Amino acid sequence: MSRSLEGKVAVVTGGSRGIGRAICVALGELGAKVVVNYTANEGAAAQAADAVRAVGGEAFVKRFDVSDAEGVNAAFKEIVAELGGVAILVNNAGVAVNALTLGAKDADWHRSLAINLTGSFNCTRAALRPLMKAKDAGRIINISSVVAEMGNAGQAPYVAAKAGLIGLTKTWAREYASRGITCNAVTPGWIDTDMTSSELPEAKRAELTQQIPLGRVGKPEDIAAAVAFLASPAASYITGQVLRVNGGLLM
């Protein structure tokens, strides 16, 4: 897949840290022009862009909140005007919202859906027209979660949003296959990021690792490799699928 994305514009939401940053780097290594989206941490976004350039890709930083439909529309119009189009959209921006159903606040529910689900809808809707112009190479890749398929106590708002994203993945695959766009989801298992490390004390990590057949927590690069494949020409006949990258936690 060496340089197989040469010159293609890829927008990665939530691209400044963790899985998003690794995805940006992986796409940049294949030659993509990577738009690193962020909401608040400009310094981290700049560092992610530098990491993309270090592997031979082009990088651009774009600030917008995926839950703000008007802001998303404006941002994608700017991206198309400045870079000439969009060929790849990675809906990665997300937030962990943990709450048992009985104790969940309305704000927990609305925040999870607004960012994890509505945010992906907003970005996909804004990107569809330029994706249709990508000459049978348009790619939508949604980052869901292993818990979307297996459920998880204490994460009701998060699970609901990520499960909804799988439904949207299959719907978009059906709606836009005739326009040359593929749409797939990646469901990470436990991945070592800032978001998970704060919620995974050492004792819990050891317990969890015993449940993973491959015997380790995943790395952001494990997810990035899957995304890079789905974005590449090698995956041109794959659509509507859910690629599980979880070390065997869910089979």
Side-chain angles (χ1 to χ4, degrees):
M1 293 193 298
S2 178
R3 310 301 290 186
S4 61
L5 301 179
E6 192 73 53
K8 295 186 182 300
V9 177
V11 179
V12 181
T13 67
S16 63
R17 296 186 299 170
I19 291 173
R21 173 179 167 139
I23 291 170
C24 289
V25 172
L27 296 179
E29 196 166 14
L30 295 181
K33 298 179 179 180
V34 182
V35 178
V36 181
N37 159 253
Y38 75 102
T39 302
N41 195 333
E42 184 176 3
Q47 290 174 5
D50 287 341
V52 171
R53 297 182 188 112
V55 297
E58 294 184 60
F60 308 86
V61 173
K62 181 68 69 173
R63 180 177 184 176
F64 59 88
D65 180 347
V66 298
S67 67
D68 174 8
E70 290 187 8
V72 167
N73 289 338
F76 274 85
K77 287 178 181 178
E78 291 171 2
I79 291 166
V80 171
E82 294 166 7
L83 301 179
V86 174
I88 301 160
L89 170 64
V90 183
N91 285 311
N92 167 75
V95 59
V97 180
N98 302 325
L100 289 165
T101 301
L102 191 60
K105 300 176 181 177
D106 288 351
D108 295 329
W109 178 262
H110 293 307
R111 180 168 179 254
S112 182
L113 265 64
I115 297 174
N116 296 317
L117 186 59
T118 304
S120 296
F121 179 84
N122 289 339
C123 292
T124 299
R125 184 173 56 183
L128 276 170
R129 284 186 173 83
L131 285 169
M132 289 178 190
K133 298 177 181 178
K135 297 180 180 178
D136 294 328
R139 300 283 190 270
I140 302 169
I141 303 163
N142 297 320
I143 308 302
S144 180
S145 170
V146 65
V147 301
E149 295 186 277
M150 65 186 289
N152 197 32
Q155 285 194 307
Y158 182 76
V159 169
K162 290 299 189 178
L165 191 53
I166 289 177
L168 284 178
T169 297
K170 296 179 179 184
T171 297
W172 292 333
R174 291 183 181 278
E175 286 185 347
Y176 297 102
S178 65
R179 305 304 294 269
I181 296 173
T182 68
C183 182
N184 295 286
V186 175
T187 54
W190 283 101
I191 307 298
D192 210 355
T193 66
D194 293 344
M195 188 168 74
T196 58
S197 62
S198 62
E199 302 168 5
L200 204 61
E202 198 58 40
K204 179 66 175 176
R205 177 186 290 265
E207 177 186 343
L208 179 62
T209 301
Q210 291 180 351
Q211 301 172 26
I212 301 173
L214 284 181
R216 68 174 176 88
V217 174
K219 301 177 292 185
E221 290 75 16
D222 294 321
I223 308 305
V227 172
F229 166 67
L230 290 173
S232 76
S236 64
Y237 199 57
I238 300 173
T239 195
Q241 303 304 307
V242 178
L243 179 55
R244 298 171 177 170
V245 187
N246 59 43
L249 180 62
L250 176 68
M251 297 186 186

